[in-house]
Amino acid sequence: MIKQSIIQKPLLPLLFTLFLGATFSQIASAQESFQKVVGSAYSVKTGALLYRETHTISEDGKHKVEYSEPDGLVFGHKVIDESHSKIAPSFTQTNMRNGEEIKVDSSAKKIVVHYKKDRETERKVASIDYQPGMVVDAGFNAFVKQYWQSLENDTKMDIQFVVPSRQSTVGFTVSRSLCKPDTQKGAECFVLTPDSWVVKILVDPILLAYDSDTKRLLRFTGRANIADKNGDYQAVDIQFHYY
């Protein structure tokens, strides 16, 4: 159980995608009644389609993500294992655009992070002591759903997001927010705001839009969770469709 003293914050407080090259793959759950989810990632600056991410649940219950270019060429894969924790799952991610590799092994006491920046860089390994309130990769989606009622009641909640490229955590505040003007009518929106003023300068807050009835993630606006061929994480607007 996460202690209120850790996750609730009365004052103004993911870079997580800037340093992580991670998220925001964020959605499917084995209990939900759909076969796949396709997220189309558009550039916030130009509106151009940058890539697609296709989410499925395998027979063994693992959440798999396939990243593809606009022309359909697959360039990346992710496998998320929620058997230990939905909020702090284990996962692996490979990006064939630049050779980036991420592996996170979560347990009750430790989160072990393996990170390889590109094809030329050596792999680094670090261990982080697990603390209640830590969120790993797609676990932010499970966090929002678990604390939905509190967030709807305008409670601000702290998380420590594990950032593999830094092999450490970065603090964010999760809170209710106004939706972007062109978001689906009736959606419920939340914002993740970095605690550090340095991070705030570098990264805009991350905005999440959910269907208020099904609690399905509809839209993610923030830094991409996977790098382009130059190793950069662009600002994206990902719109999700369920099949």
Side-chain angles (χ1 to χ4, degrees), residues 143-144 151 155-157 159 172-176 190-192:
F143 180 92
V144 169
L151 292 168
T155 301
K156 291 181 171 66
M157 307 186 81
I159 62 172
F172 284 84
T173 294
V174 186
S175 60
R176 196 176 185 188
F190 305 100
V191 64
L192 285 78

Side-chain angles (χ1 to χ4, degrees), residues 42-77:
Y42 299 91
S43 168
V44 169
K45 289 185 177 180
T46 69
L49 177 63
L50 299 178
Y51 64 88
R52 289 187 177 91
E53 52 183 64
T54 301
H55 301 249
T56 57
I57 299 297
S58 61
E59 292 183 359
D60 60 3
K62 291 182 180 178
H63 175 175
K64 295 187 176 182
V65 187
E66 181 179 86
Y67 297 91
S68 59
E69 305 287 6
D71 64 4
L73 178 66
V74 175
F75 68 86
H77 297 273

Side-chain angles (χ1 to χ4, degrees), residues 126-137:
S127 180
I128 302 170
D129 290 335
Y130 174 78
Q131 299 292 332
M134 281 188 179
V135 176
V136 175
D137 194 70

